[in-house]
C-alpha cells in the first residue's frame, strides 16, 4: 500500500501562472517532507523541504505547505517558467535513520 | 565536490546474464540507498546501508537481487540471473546522518532483452 501518493500524473500550466502540485500521505509518523525535481536522464535533485512542526516553507519561487490534520502537502511554484518542466517527486521520512519514501511523481509541463 | 557516481550509465544485457551496478557515494556520507524507478511503481526503495551495514532490504524483489557495501566509498547491486522485468532505471543515493536530504546519482538504465 502506498504511503505517499501523488494522484495527478501530469499538470500543464502556462508560463507566469502558478503551478500547484499535491501530495497525500498515510503515515502519521512521518516527520519530514521533501520535494525533488527530476529532468530526463538525470537523477532526482532536492528542491525544498519542510519539517512536520511547520506549516509553510518558502524558497524563492517555491513554497511548500503542510496540512498535518489532512495529511496533505503541496508545492507552489510562482511564477512558473518553462525550465520548471520536469517530474516532481514528493517524499517523506519517518524516524531518524530511515529512508525516504517517494510518491510516483507528477510531470509538470510549463508552456511559453 | 563530486556527487554520487554510478556506473555504467547504460547496460543492455540478455536474459539470464549477471548484471552488476556500481555506486560511489559522496565522501563523508554514512547512508547509502538503492532505488529502482519504473513507470508502474515509481521510485521504490530496494535496500539501504548505514556505515556499510545493510539496515533494510525488504524492498529487494527477489533472491536474484543482492547488494554489498564492502567499504564507505563503494557499493554494488547485483542481479543474477537477470530477467526482462528487471528493466528499469536504478538509482543510488547517499546522505549524511546530520541531514535529511538524500543526494542521487545519475542512474543506470538497465535493459534486459
Amino acid at each position: 500500500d502506498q504511503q505517499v501518493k501523488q494522484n495527478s500524473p501530469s499538470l500543464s500550466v502556462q508560463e507566469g501562472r502558478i503551478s500547484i502540485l499535491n501530495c497525500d500521505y498515510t503515515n502519521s509518523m512521518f516527520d519530514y517532507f521533501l520535494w525533488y525535481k527530476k529532468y530526463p536522464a538525470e537523477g532526482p535533485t532536492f528542491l525544498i523541504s519542510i519539517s512536520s512542526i511547520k506549516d509553510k516553507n518558502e524558497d524563492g519561487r517555491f513554497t511548500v505547505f503542510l496540512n498535518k490534520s489532512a495529511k496533505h502537502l503541496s508545492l507552489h511554484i510562482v511564477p512558473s517558467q518553462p525550465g520548471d518542466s520536469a517530474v516532481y517527486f514528493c517524499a517523506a521520512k519517518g524516524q531518524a535513520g530511515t529512508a525516504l519514501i517517494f510518491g510516483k511523481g507528477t510531470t509538470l509541463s510549463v508552456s511559453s | 565536490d563530486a556527487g554520487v557516481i554510478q556506473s555504467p550509465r547504460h547496460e543492455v544485457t540478455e536474459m539470464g546474464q549477471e548484471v552488476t551496478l556500481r555506486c560511489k557515494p559522496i565522501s563523508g556520507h554514512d547512508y547509502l540507498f538503492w532505488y529502482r524507478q519504473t513507470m508502474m511503481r515509481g521510485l521504490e526503495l530496494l535496500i539501504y546501508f548505514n556505515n556499510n551495514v545493510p539496515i533494510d532490504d525488504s524492498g529487494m524483489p527477489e533472491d536474484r537481487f543482492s547488494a554489498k557495501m564492502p567499504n564507505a566509498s563503494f557499493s554494488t547491486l547485483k542481479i543474477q540471473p537477470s530477467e526482462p522485468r528487471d528493466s528499469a532505471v536504478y538509482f543510488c543515493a547517499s546522505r549524511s546522518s546530520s541531514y535529511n536530504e538524500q543526494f542521487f546519482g545519475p542512474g543506470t538504465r538497465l535493459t534486459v532483452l
Side-chain angles (χ1 to χ4, degrees):
Chain A
D1 191 29
Q2 273 193 285
Q3 298 188 66
V4 178
K5 299 179 184 179
Q6 294 178 257
N7 293 319
S8 298
S10 62
L11 174 68
S12 294
V13 172
Q14 283 192 320
E15 181 178 9
R17 307 295 290 269
I18 184 171
S19 295
I20 300 176
L21 297 99
N22 294 302
C23 178
D24 297 296
Y25 62 97
T26 58
N27 190 340
S28 59
M29 298 302 291
F30 288 146
D31 62 2
Y32 203 81
F33 302 90
L34 306 87
W35 284 93
Y36 280 77
K37 177 179 179 179
K38 184 184 179 307
Y39 292 118
E42 295 182 10
T45 56
F46 169 71
L47 186 59
I48 191 170
S49 62
I50 187 167
S51 166
S52 61
I53 62 173
K54 296 187 176 182
D55 55 17
K56 177 182 174 181
N57 187 29
E58 191 171 354
D59 183 3
R61 297 186 296 115
F62 303 90
T63 303
V64 56
F65 295 92
L66 176 62
N67 182 333
K68 284 178 62 179
S69 61
K71 293 190 177 68
H72 177 83
L73 66 156
S74 61
L75 174 68
H76 292 211
I77 306 174
V78 183
S80 300
Q81 300 174 353
D84 296 329
S85 298
V87 179
Y88 288 80
F89 291 97
C90 170
K93 193 178 85 63
Q95 58 191 355
T98 58
L100 296 181
I101 305 299
F102 284 84
K104 289 189 176 182
T106 297
T107 300
L108 173 65
S109 299
V110 181
S111 57
S112 55
Chain B
D1 245 355
V4 176
I5 298 172
Q6 290 187 249
S7 64
R9 291 294 310 276
H10 302 273
E11 177 80 32
V12 180
T13 190
E14 293 190 343
M15 182 174 63
Q17 296 298 306
E18 177 179 297
V19 174
T20 299
L21 310 182
R22 296 172 176 80
C23 175
K24 176 178 170 54
I26 293 172
S27 176
H29 283 189
D30 42 10
Y31 283 90
L32 184 138
F33 309 86
W34 283 100
Y35 287 86
R36 178 171 68 175
Q37 185 188 16
T38 61
M39 289 294 291
M40 289 295 294
R41 303 175 70 89
L43 262 174
E44 55 178 338
L45 176 69
L46 300 177
I47 184 172
Y48 77 95
F49 297 82
N50 178 220
N51 292 322
N52 313 336
V53 176
I55 302 301
D56 183 356
D57 65 353
S58 60
M60 298 285 261
E62 300 171 36
D63 290 345
R64 298 184 295 108
F65 286 70
S66 62
K68 293 181 179 179
M69 192 165 185
N71 58 61
S73 58
F74 184 66
S75 177
T76 59
L77 178 67
K78 186 176 293 186
I79 309 173
Q80 165 64 14
S82 57
E83 296 183 5
R85 59 196 168 116
D86 301 331
S87 298
V89 181
Y90 291 80
F91 290 101
C92 176
S94 70
R95 76 169 172 88
S96 163
S97 55
S98 303
Y99 301 97
N100 291 307
E101 296 79 12
Q102 291 175 190
F103 294 84
F104 283 80
T108 295
R109 179 173 292 278
L110 173 65
T111 303
V112 183
L113 303 174

